Amino acid sequence: SMVFGTIVGSFGDTIGRKKTCILFGILYTLSCFTKHFSNFYVLMLGRLLGGVATSLLFSVFEAWMVCEHNEQRFAPSLLGGTFSQAYFCNSIVAISAGLVGQWAARTFSNGEGDNLVAPFDCAAILLTIGTTVVALTWMENYGNKTSPFLEQMQMASTVIVQNQEVVIAGACQSLFEGAMYTFVF
């Protein structure tokens, strides 16, 4: 996530945000399937896929929403309420997912304790359904396709160097995600 987080936004802008959201679903589903193997390299591949997918999750979906909101010419004041509701619902879904994951681990146990792969299997099923919904119902939208990727990265670097608030926000986000990943994993 740390390595790919800086480039996935521009990647999504270039090839299309809908396609990139679909890529998220595919990568995270593959990451879930790697949990069935005890091979270190397969598990590391799963972590890499999960890291890239997480970077997509925290950038491309919101970018798609903002662009689609503007394309549909909805009032700009509605966007804040939409995101507020989305974050609230996300909290409820996260709690529910934890309960379903615990249920799956216990229900599909192999007799030697909880089945620790079952929650990932449940996630893969839901990811497949969600990715299918995105593929069939969302419109494609793009970001700034006129400036080359390296030029976009150079402009972003300039903003980071010149604006202390961006550096502070990035540091806070990094520390928060680091704490979250330490707790979760």
Side-chain angles (χ1 to χ4, degrees):
S1 183
M2 178 186 76
V3 173
F4 294 104
T6 55
I7 62 172
V8 295
S10 295
F11 179 73
D13 289 348
T14 304
I15 71 160
R17 294 178 179 134
K18 174 184 171 180
K19 289 182 193 88
T20 312
C21 289
I22 293 169
L23 179 62
F24 157 80
I26 293 168
L27 292 177
Y28 227 111
T29 301
L30 291 172
S31 175
C32 289
F33 288 141
T34 63
K35 306 304 183 253
H36 286 275
F37 298 91
S38 59
N39 181 292
F40 174 78
Y41 296 105
V42 173
L43 292 170
M44 288 305 294
L45 174 65
R47 294 303 305 137
L48 178 68
L49 294 172
V52 174
T54 300
S55 295
L56 294 172
L57 175 65
F58 289 120
S59 62
V60 180
F61 285 88
E62 292 173 354
W64 180 89
M65 177 62 195
V66 170
C67 186
E68 191 64 22
H69 183 88
N70 292 332
E71 287 288 320
Q72 297 297 323
R73 302 195 191 303
F74 293 131
S77 60
L78 296 175
L79 196 56
T82 300
F83 279 120
S84 177
Q85 290 176 8
Y87 289 128
F88 174 75
C89 291
N90 185 41
S91 300
I92 294 186
V93 169
I95 293 167
S96 300
L99 295 172
V100 169
Q102 182 64 43
W103 169 84
R106 290 206 172 131
T107 301
F108 300 108
S109 69
N110 55 12
E112 299 175 11
D114 291 345
N115 180 351
L116 301 180
V117 179
F120 292 97
D121 294 339
C122 292
I125 292 167
L126 294 174
L127 283 162
T128 301
I129 292 168
T131 301
T132 303
V133 169
V134 168
L136 296 177
T137 63
W138 285 20
M139 302 297 294
E140 183 64 89
N141 64 46
Y142 298 90
N144 184 0
K145 293 175 70 174
T146 58
S147 58
F149 173 73
L150 289 178
E151 184 178 317
Q152 291 179 28
M153 294 307 293
Q154 185 178 23
M155 290 178 356
S157 298
T158 302
V159 169
I160 291 170
V161 169
Q162 294 177 350
N163 191 337
Q164 185 179 9
E165 291 175 350
V166 173
V167 172
I168 292 170
C172 289
Q173 183 70 27
S174 296
L175 291 170
F176 172 78
E177 284 191 28
M180 181 186 70
Y181 289 137
T182 300
F183 174 74
V184 171
F185 299 109

